Amino acid sequence: MKKLYFVILLSLSLHFAFSQELKVKSFVVAEKDHSARTNVRKDLNGNVCALVKVGLTVKGAKFEGYVVGDVKYESGEYWVYMAEGAKRLKVLNEEFTPLEVEFSNYEIDKLKRNTTYSLTLTKPEVAVLPTYEKYKGKPVIKELIKNMVFVKGGSFTMGTNGIKGVQLSPMEKPAHEVSVADYYIGRYEVSQKEWKEIMGYNNSFFFRQ
């Protein structure tokens, strides 16, 4: 019963569920940062690189694209040197689905040599669920449990690798497999009153006691 109750709360907070995706907060030219000039790196052809500083408080991230040499991580920031003319960067980490950043989506057509860029990524929020003991005696819980239905888990392809002639946002790419475990979900929509009784608050403008 306890496990089922936590699934109820999870279904009430679907915007937290299955949200293991990094998001791009910003990608800009760091005009006042001269790291690319003071810490020069060249590619195999002797050409000076651009430097993309990736703000991400997750260790173990890897990067694909026209990356030159080793990536340095320090204090929540990755230094990724890239060849001049690069147009995208793919971010990989075991905790999150792959994220491909298309520079043109942020008004940067391609990277320029001796230039430092700042790419800031954000992690998904994590829901903090109340304890079962706090709510197990409430009638609303018994009613919700009675109307739960079982959903078999499985895998599906989320996103796309591109559609000809269609401009896609970074959140829509790339296509990747997502697996979902078995779960229970309410047969009916959750009412404002039920939400408030379980979560302890309700910010809806239309909610009335």
Side-chain angles (χ1 to χ4, degrees):
M1 188 68 72
K2 178 184 286 190
K3 182 178 180 181
L4 180 59
Y5 171 69
F6 279 107
V7 177
I8 292 173
L9 287 183
L10 188 61
S11 66
L12 293 175
S13 305
L14 285 177
H15 61 291
F16 291 119
F18 320 128
S19 59
Q20 294 301 307
E21 294 184 346
L22 295 170
K23 305 291 184 183
V24 178
K25 183 177 181 181
S26 63
F27 181 56
V28 297
V29 177
E31 298 179 353
K32 297 182 179 180
D33 190 332
H34 303 294
S35 299
R37 296 183 180 181
T38 58
N39 298 272
V40 176
R41 181 177 295 183
K42 297 182 179 180
D43 62 20
L44 295 177
N45 295 318
N47 299 316
V48 176
C49 297
L51 171 60
V52 179
K53 291 188 175 182
V54 182
L56 176 62
T57 57
V58 174
K59 292 184 178 180
K62 297 181 180 179
F63 303 88
E64 293 181 355
Y66 292 106
V67 177
V68 179
D70 296 331
V71 174
K72 181 176 72 173
Y73 176 80
E74 185 176 348
S75 302
E77 186 176 73
Y78 290 88
W79 282 33
V80 184
Y81 283 90
M82 302 189 69
E84 180 182 27
K87 296 184 176 182
R88 62 185 60 85
L89 176 65
K90 192 171 186 177
V91 184
L92 303 168
N93 183 271
E94 292 182 354
E95 297 181 33
F96 308 98
T97 55
L99 171 66
E100 185 159 353
V101 183
E102 293 281 350
F103 301 155
S104 60
N105 291 330
Y106 304 92
E107 299 183 355
I108 296 175
D109 182 48
K110 56 186 177 180
L111 301 185
K112 297 180 180 179
R113 68 174 66 187
N114 272 336
T115 303
T116 304
Y117 299 83
S118 176
L119 171 62
T120 303
L121 305 180
T122 58
K123 298 183 294 183
E125 298 179 60
V126 178
V128 178
L129 302 179
T131 60
Y132 172 73
E133 285 71 18
K134 183 177 180 181
Y135 297 99
K136 65 181 180 180
K138 293 199 172 189
V140 65
I141 296 299
K142 294 180 180 180
E143 189 64 25
L144 285 173
I145 291 175
K146 186 171 63 176
N147 291 312
M148 300 295 286
V149 293
F150 176 77
V151 179
K152 180 66 177 175
S155 300
F156 65 97
T157 300
M158 177 184 290
T160 177
N161 291 322
I163 303 174
K164 187 176 181 180
V166 177
Q167 182 71 27
L168 301 173
S169 72
M171 294 184 294
E172 297 176 284
K173 299 181 293 184
H176 57 280
E177 186 176 89
V178 176
S179 296
V180 180
D182 297 348
Y183 64 96
Y184 286 84
I185 194 168
R187 186 186 303 272
Y188 308 110
E189 294 181 2
V190 176
S191 69
Q192 300 285 349
K193 182 179 180 181
E194 289 170 336
W195 178 281
K196 188 173 189 299
E197 286 193 41
I198 295 174
M199 303 304 292
Y201 70 91
N202 194 310
N203 294 327
S204 173
F205 176 80
F206 299 100
F207 177 71
R208 298 292 183 269
Q209 293 284 354

